[in-house]
Amino acid sequence: GMQQIEVLPNVISYSSTISACEKGGQWQRALGLFVGMQQIEVLPNVISYSSTISACEKGGQWQRALGLFVGMQQIEVLPNVISYSSTISACEKGGQWQRALELFVGMQPIDMLPDVIIYSSTISA
């Protein structure tokens, strides 16, 4: 019969699945996948982080979004415009404007600022 080929999930397959959950508003699933990938020692990249943060932001989970954002920097994954914007937006939605402001001020590199302002106003609209 047909041989079964074992396909090991990798960071790309995880990231795209997390992204699909994020687009579908399934923050719990996105977070579950994010935690699961690390349990099988698949290191998350900027895309898996950004999609999970964005899913948490859409679900009104500012603490989780912020936790992910902090964790991302601890393993030296550089945040992109989406991870910054989603975290800032999540804090803003949670009434955490001081945290949003701290993130905004602490942004590295500074040349991302204009993009984030545009992006944030787009997702807040």
Side-chain angles (χ1 to χ4, degrees):
M2 276 181 65
Q3 278 196 310
Q4 278 199 311
I5 301 161
E6 196 179 338
V7 180
L8 289 173
N10 62 13
V11 69
I12 296 159
S13 56
Y14 264 105
S15 296
S16 54
T17 312
I18 290 169
S19 182
C21 293
E22 177 259 326
K23 287 180 176 70
Q26 304 280 321
W27 70 266
Q28 293 100 326
R29 275 198 185 148
L31 203 59
L33 283 161
F34 185 82
V35 171
M37 74 189 280
Q38 291 168 88
Q39 286 170 345
I40 60 158
E41 292 175 9
V42 175
L43 277 180
N45 63 8
V46 70
I47 297 164
S48 30
Y49 265 108
S50 298
S51 297
T52 311
I53 291 170
S54 181
C56 291
E57 181 265 331
K58 286 181 179 172
Q61 304 291 314
W62 72 266
Q63 293 101 325
R64 288 190 167 95
L66 194 60
L68 285 160
F69 187 81
V70 171
M72 173 179 202
Q73 289 163 311
Q74 284 170 346
I75 65 156
E76 292 176 14
V77 174
L78 283 177
N80 62 8
V81 170
I82 297 165
S83 30
Y84 263 112
S85 304
S86 298
T87 309
I88 290 168
S89 176
C91 289
E92 187 186 35
K93 282 181 180 173
Q96 303 292 314
W97 62 269
Q98 283 165 307
R99 283 174 206 245
L101 201 62
E102 279 167 29
L103 282 166
F104 200 70
V105 171
M107 280 184 65
Q108 296 293 332
I110 284 307
D111 61 3
M112 274 206 290
L113 278 171
D115 292 330
V116 169
I117 295 166
I118 295 158
Y119 191 86
S120 293
S121 55
T122 315
I123 49 180
S124 297

mmCIF file with all atom_site columns, all heavy atoms in Angstrom, residues 79-96:
data_model
loop_
_atom_site.group_PDB
_atom_site.id
_atom_site.type_symbol
_atom_site.label_atom_id
_atom_site.label_alt_id
_atom_site.label_comp_id
_atom_site.label_asym_id
_atom_site.label_entity_id
_atom_site.label_seq_id
_atom_site.pdbx_PDB_ins_code
_atom_site.Cartn_x
_atom_site.Cartn_y
_atom_site.Cartn_z
_atom_site.occupancy
_atom_site.B_iso_or_equiv
_atom_site.pdbx_formal_charge
_atom_site.auth_seq_id
_atom_site.auth_comp_id
_atom_site.auth_asym_id
_atom_site.auth_atom_id
_atom_site.pdbx_PDB_model_num
ATOM 1   N N   . PRO A 1 79 ? 10.926 42.612 16.715 1.00 0.00 ? 79 PRO A N   1
ATOM 2   C CA  . PRO A 1 79 ? 9.537  42.909 16.369 1.00 0.00 ? 79 PRO A CA  1
ATOM 3   C C   . PRO A 1 79 ? 9.456  43.640 15.026 1.00 0.00 ? 79 PRO A C   1
ATOM 4   O O   . PRO A 1 79 ? 10.365 44.387 14.667 1.00 0.00 ? 79 PRO A O   1
ATOM 5   C CB  . PRO A 1 79 ? 9.067  43.839 17.493 1.00 0.00 ? 79 PRO A CB  1
ATOM 6   C CG  . PRO A 1 79 ? 10.128 43.841 18.524 1.00 0.00 ? 79 PRO A CG  1
ATOM 7   C CD  . PRO A 1 79 ? 11.381 43.379 17.886 1.00 0.00 ? 79 PRO A CD  1
ATOM 8   N N   . ASN A 1 80 ? 8.376  43.414 14.302 1.00 0.00 ? 80 ASN A N   1
ATOM 9   C CA  . ASN A 1 80 ? 8.156  44.151 13.062 1.00 0.00 ? 80 ASN A CA  1
ATOM 10  C C   . ASN A 1 80 ? 7.009  45.140 13.272 1.00 0.00 ? 80 ASN A C   1
ATOM 11  O O   . ASN A 1 80 ? 6.502  45.277 14.387 1.00 0.00 ? 80 ASN A O   1
ATOM 12  C CB  . ASN A 1 80 ? 7.888  43.188 11.891 1.00 0.00 ? 80 ASN A CB  1
ATOM 13  C CG  . ASN A 1 80 ? 6.639  42.339 12.092 1.00 0.00 ? 80 ASN A CG  1
ATOM 14  O OD1 . ASN A 1 80 ? 5.866  42.538 13.014 1.00 0.00 ? 80 ASN A OD1 1
ATOM 15  N ND2 . ASN A 1 80 ? 6.451  41.379 11.216 1.00 0.00 ? 80 ASN A ND2 1
ATOM 16  N N   . VAL A 1 81 ? 6.610  45.808 12.227 1.00 0.00 ? 81 VAL A N   1
ATOM 17  C CA  . VAL A 1 81 ? 5.555  46.813 12.319 1.00 0.00 ? 81 VAL A CA  1
ATOM 18  C C   . VAL A 1 81 ? 4.262  46.207 12.874 1.00 0.00 ? 81 VAL A C   1
ATOM 19  O O   . VAL A 1 81 ? 3.604  46.809 13.722 1.00 0.00 ? 81 VAL A O   1
ATOM 20  C CB  . VAL A 1 81 ? 5.310  47.466 10.927 1.00 0.00 ? 81 VAL A CB  1
ATOM 21  C CG1 . VAL A 1 81 ? 4.071  48.337 10.936 1.00 0.00 ? 81 VAL A CG1 1
ATOM 22  C CG2 . VAL A 1 81 ? 6.517  48.297 10.526 1.00 0.00 ? 81 VAL A CG2 1
ATOM 23  N N   . ILE A 1 82 ? 3.937  44.993 12.435 1.00 0.00 ? 82 ILE A N   1
ATOM 24  C CA  . ILE A 1 82 ? 2.693  44.354 12.871 1.00 0.00 ? 82 ILE A CA  1
ATOM 25  C C   . ILE A 1 82 ? 2.721  44.013 14.359 1.00 0.00 ? 82 ILE A C   1
ATOM 26  O O   . ILE A 1 82 ? 1.762  44.266 15.074 1.00 0.00 ? 82 ILE A O   1
ATOM 27  C CB  . ILE A 1 82 ? 2.358  43.118 11.999 1.00 0.00 ? 82 ILE A CB  1
ATOM 28  C CG1 . ILE A 1 82 ? 2.125  43.568 10.553 1.00 0.00 ? 82 ILE A CG1 1
ATOM 29  C CG2 . ILE A 1 82 ? 1.132  42.373 12.535 1.00 0.00 ? 82 ILE A CG2 1
ATOM 30  C CD1 . ILE A 1 82 ? 2.148  42.454 9.526  1.00 0.00 ? 82 ILE A CD1 1
ATOM 31  N N   . SER A 1 83 ? 3.857  43.466 14.824 1.00 0.00 ? 83 SER A N   1
ATOM 32  C CA  . SER A 1 83 ? 3.919  43.118 16.249 1.00 0.00 ? 83 SER A CA  1
ATOM 33  C C   . SER A 1 83 ? 3.832  44.362 17.129 1.00 0.00 ? 83 SER A C   1
ATOM 34  O O   . SER A 1 83 ? 3.136  44.358 18.147 1.00 0.00 ? 83 SER A O   1
ATOM 35  C CB  . SER A 1 83 ? 5.156  42.275 16.590 1.00 0.00 ? 83 SER A CB  1
ATOM 36  O OG  . SER A 1 83 ? 6.244  42.547 15.775 1.00 0.00 ? 83 SER A OG  1
ATOM 37  N N   . TYR A 1 84 ? 4.515  45.431 16.728 1.00 0.00 ? 84 TYR A N   1
ATOM 38  C CA  . TYR A 1 84 ? 4.427  46.696 17.472 1.00 0.00 ? 84 TYR A CA  1
ATOM 39  C C   . TYR A 1 84 ? 3.006  47.240 17.451 1.00 0.00 ? 84 TYR A C   1
ATOM 40  O O   . TYR A 1 84 ? 2.426  47.558 18.486 1.00 0.00 ? 84 TYR A O   1
ATOM 41  C CB  . TYR A 1 84 ? 5.365  47.748 16.877 1.00 0.00 ? 84 TYR A CB  1
ATOM 42  C CG  . TYR A 1 84 ? 6.685  47.842 17.596 1.00 0.00 ? 84 TYR A CG  1
ATOM 43  C CD1 . TYR A 1 84 ? 7.873  47.457 16.989 1.00 0.00 ? 84 TYR A CD1 1
ATOM 44  C CD2 . TYR A 1 84 ? 6.760  48.335 18.902 1.00 0.00 ? 84 TYR A CD2 1
ATOM 45  C CE1 . TYR A 1 84 ? 9.096  47.539 17.647 1.00 0.00 ? 84 TYR A CE1 1
ATOM 46  C CE2 . TYR A 1 84 ? 7.973  48.432 19.574 1.00 0.00 ? 84 TYR A CE2 1
ATOM 47  C CZ  . TYR A 1 84 ? 9.134  48.037 18.940 1.00 0.00 ? 84 TYR A CZ  1
ATOM 48  O OH  . TYR A 1 84 ? 10.333 48.131 19.597 1.00 0.00 ? 84 TYR A OH  1
ATOM 49  N N   . SER A 1 85 ? 2.456  47.365 16.255 1.00 0.00 ? 85 SER A N   1
ATOM 50  C CA  . SER A 1 85 ? 1.135  47.974 16.084 1.00 0.00 ? 85 SER A CA  1
ATOM 51  C C   . SER A 1 85 ? 0.051  47.222 16.828 1.00 0.00 ? 85 SER A C   1
ATOM 52  O O   . SER A 1 85 ? -0.794 47.828 17.484 1.00 0.00 ? 85 SER A O   1
ATOM 53  C CB  . SER A 1 85 ? 0.751  48.027 14.609 1.00 0.00 ? 85 SER A CB  1
ATOM 54  O OG  . SER A 1 85 ? 1.733  48.706 13.893 1.00 0.00 ? 85 SER A OG  1
ATOM 55  N N   . SER A 1 86 ? 0.093  45.886 16.711 1.00 0.00 ? 86 SER A N   1
ATOM 56  C CA  . SER A 1 86 ? -0.939 45.070 17.363 1.00 0.00 ? 86 SER A CA  1
ATOM 57  C C   . SER A 1 86 ? -0.844 45.164 18.877 1.00 0.00 ? 86 SER A C   1
ATOM 58  O O   . SER A 1 86 ? -1.859 45.208 19.564 1.00 0.00 ? 86 SER A O   1
ATOM 59  C CB  . SER A 1 86 ? -0.819 43.612 16.926 1.00 0.00 ? 86 SER A CB  1
ATOM 60  O OG  . SER A 1 86 ? -1.016 43.510 15.539 1.00 0.00 ? 86 SER A OG  1
ATOM 61  N N   . THR A 1 87 ? 0.390  45.196 19.396 1.00 0.00 ? 87 THR A N   1
ATOM 62  C CA  . THR A 1 87 ? 0.576  45.296 20.843 1.00 0.00 ? 87 THR A CA  1
ATOM 63  C C   . THR A 1 87 ? 0.090  46.657 21.340 1.00 0.00 ? 87 THR A C   1
ATOM 64  O O   . THR A 1 87 ? -0.620 46.750 22.347 1.00 0.00 ? 87 THR A O   1
ATOM 65  C CB  . THR A 1 87 ? 2.047  45.059 21.249 1.00 0.00 ? 87 THR A CB  1
ATOM 66  O OG1 . THR A 1 87 ? 2.507  43.853 20.648 1.00 0.00 ? 87 THR A OG1 1
ATOM 67  C CG2 . THR A 1 87 ? 2.198  44.943 22.757 1.00 0.00 ? 87 THR A CG2 1
ATOM 68  N N   . ILE A 1 88 ? 0.464  47.705 20.618 1.00 0.00 ? 88 ILE A N   1
ATOM 69  C CA  . ILE A 1 88 ? 0.040  49.065 20.976 1.00 0.00 ? 88 ILE A CA  1
ATOM 70  C C   . ILE A 1 88 ? -1.485 49.160 20.930 1.00 0.00 ? 88 ILE A C   1
ATOM 71  O O   . ILE A 1 88 ? -2.120 49.665 21.852 1.00 0.00 ? 88 ILE A O   1
ATOM 72  C CB  . ILE A 1 88 ? 0.710  50.115 20.053 1.00 0.00 ? 88 ILE A CB  1
ATOM 73  C CG1 . ILE A 1 88 ? 2.215  50.205 20.377 1.00 0.00 ? 88 ILE A CG1 1
ATOM 74  C CG2 . ILE A 1 88 ? 0.050  51.493 20.199 1.00 0.00 ? 88 ILE A CG2 1
ATOM 75  C CD1 . ILE A 1 88 ? 3.051  50.986 19.371 1.00 0.00 ? 88 ILE A CD1 1
ATOM 76  N N   . SER A 1 89 ? -2.072 48.622 19.873 1.00 0.00 ? 89 SER A N   1
ATOM 77  C CA  . SER A 1 89 ? -3.529 48.656 19.711 1.00 0.00 ? 89 SER A CA  1
ATOM 78  C C   . SER A 1 89 ? -4.238 47.861 20.806 1.00 0.00 ? 89 SER A C   1
ATOM 79  O O   . SER A 1 89 ? -5.274 48.285 21.325 1.00 0.00 ? 89 SER A O   1
ATOM 80  C CB  . SER A 1 89 ? -3.898 48.117 18.331 1.00 0.00 ? 89 SER A CB  1
ATOM 81  O OG  . SER A 1 89 ? -5.287 48.049 18.189 1.00 0.00 ? 89 SER A OG  1
ATOM 82  N N   . ALA A 1 90 ? -3.660 46.695 21.178 1.00 0.00 ? 90 ALA A N   1
ATOM 83  C CA  . ALA A 1 90 ? -4.242 45.863 22.235 1.00 0.00 ? 90 ALA A CA  1
ATOM 84  C C   . ALA A 1 90 ? -4.248 46.616 23.565 1.00 0.00 ? 90 ALA A C   1
ATOM 85  O O   . ALA A 1 90 ? -5.249 46.592 24.290 1.00 0.00 ? 90 ALA A O   1
ATOM 86  C CB  . ALA A 1 90 ? -3.461 44.553 22.364 1.00 0.00 ? 90 ALA A CB  1
ATOM 87  N N   . CYS A 1 91 ? -3.147 47.293 23.859 1.00 0.00 ? 91 CYS A N   1
ATOM 88  C CA  . CYS A 1 91 ? -3.039 48.071 25.105 1.00 0.00 ? 91 CYS A CA  1
ATOM 89  C C   . CYS A 1 91 ? -4.030 49.229 25.090 1.00 0.00 ? 91 CYS A C   1
ATOM 90  O O   . CYS A 1 91 ? -4.687 49.518 26.096 1.00 0.00 ? 91 CYS A O   1
ATOM 91  C CB  . CYS A 1 91 ? -1.618 48.590 25.292 1.00 0.00 ? 91 CYS A CB  1
ATOM 92  S SG  . CYS A 1 91 ? -0.435 47.290 25.699 1.00 0.00 ? 91 CYS A SG  1
ATOM 93  N N   . GLU A 1 92 ? -4.143 49.852 23.926 1.00 0.00 ? 92 GLU A N   1
ATOM 94  C CA  . GLU A 1 92 ? -5.057 50.980 23.747 1.00 0.00 ? 92 GLU A CA  1
ATOM 95  C C   . GLU A 1 92 ? -6.509 50.524 23.988 1.00 0.00 ? 92 GLU A C   1
ATOM 96  O O   . GLU A 1 92 ? -7.247 51.148 24.747 1.00 0.00 ? 92 GLU A O   1
ATOM 97  C CB  . GLU A 1 92 ? -4.878 51.484 22.313 1.00 0.00 ? 92 GLU A CB  1
ATOM 98  C CG  . GLU A 1 92 ? -5.620 52.757 21.968 1.00 0.00 ? 92 GLU A CG  1
ATOM 99  C CD  . GLU A 1 92 ? -5.480 53.074 20.479 1.00 0.00 ? 92 GLU A CD  1
ATOM 100 O OE1 . GLU A 1 92 ? -5.444 52.147 19.648 1.00 0.00 ? 92 GLU A OE1 1
ATOM 101 O OE2 . GLU A 1 92 ? -5.426 54.263 20.168 1.00 0.00 ? 92 GLU A OE2 1
ATOM 102 N N   . LYS A 1 93 ? -6.881 49.382 23.398 1.00 0.00 ? 93 LYS A N   1
ATOM 103 C CA  . LYS A 1 93 ? -8.235 48.841 23.568 1.00 0.00 ? 93 LYS A CA  1
ATOM 104 C C   . LYS A 1 93 ? -8.507 48.450 25.012 1.00 0.00 ? 93 LYS A C   1
ATOM 105 O O   . LYS A 1 93 ? -9.652 48.513 25.468 1.00 0.00 ? 93 LYS A O   1
ATOM 106 C CB  . LYS A 1 93 ? -8.429 47.594 22.682 1.00 0.00 ? 93 LYS A CB  1
ATOM 107 C CG  . LYS A 1 93 ? -8.669 47.914 21.231 1.00 0.00 ? 93 LYS A CG  1
ATOM 108 C CD  . LYS A 1 93 ? -8.864 46.614 20.459 1.00 0.00 ? 93 LYS A CD  1
ATOM 109 C CE  . LYS A 1 93 ? -9.102 46.865 18.981 1.00 0.00 ? 93 LYS A CE  1
ATOM 110 N NZ  . LYS A 1 93 ? -9.132 45.588 18.226 1.00 0.00 ? 93 LYS A NZ  1
ATOM 111 N N   . GLY A 1 94 ? -7.453 48.031 25.723 1.00 0.00 ? 94 GLY A N   1
ATOM 112 C CA  . GLY A 1 94 ? -7.597 47.623 27.115 1.00 0.00 ? 94 GLY A CA  1
ATOM 113 C C   . GLY A 1 94 ? -7.516 48.787 28.081 1.00 0.00 ? 94 GLY A C   1
ATOM 114 O O   . GLY A 1 94 ? -7.448 48.596 29.292 1.00 0.00 ? 94 GLY A O   1
ATOM 115 N N   . GLY A 1 95 ? -7.472 50.005 27.541 1.00 0.00 ? 95 GLY A N   1
ATOM 116 C CA  . GLY A 1 95 ? -7.387 51.201 28.369 1.00 0.00 ? 95 GLY A CA  1
ATOM 117 C C   . GLY A 1 95 ? -6.013 51.404 28.993 1.00 0.00 ? 95 GLY A C   1
ATOM 118 O O   . GLY A 1 95 ? -5.847 52.149 29.942 1.00 0.00 ? 95 GLY A O   1
ATOM 119 N N   . GLN A 1 96 ? -5.025 50.703 28.426 1.00 0.00 ? 96 GLN A N   1
ATOM 120 C CA  . GLN A 1 96 ? -3.653 50.781 28.954 1.00 0.00 ? 96 GLN A CA  1
ATOM 121 C C   . GLN A 1 96 ? -2.836 51.782 28.132 1.00 0.00 ? 96 GLN A C   1
ATOM 122 O O   . GLN A 1 96 ? -1.835 51.437 27.534 1.00 0.00 ? 96 GLN A O   1
ATOM 123 C CB  . GLN A 1 96 ? -2.988 49.401 28.879 1.00 0.00 ? 96 GLN A CB  1
ATOM 124 C CG  . GLN A 1 96 ? -3.742 48.310 29.612 1.00 0.00 ? 96 GLN A CG  1
ATOM 125 C CD  . GLN A 1 96 ? -3.710 48.511 31.112 1.00 0.00 ? 96 GLN A CD  1
ATOM 126 O OE1 . GLN A 1 96 ? -2.670 48.797 31.686 1.00 0.00 ? 96 GLN A OE1 1
ATOM 127 N NE2 . GLN A 1 96 ? -4.856 48.366 31.758 1.00 0.00 ? 96 GLN A NE2 1
#
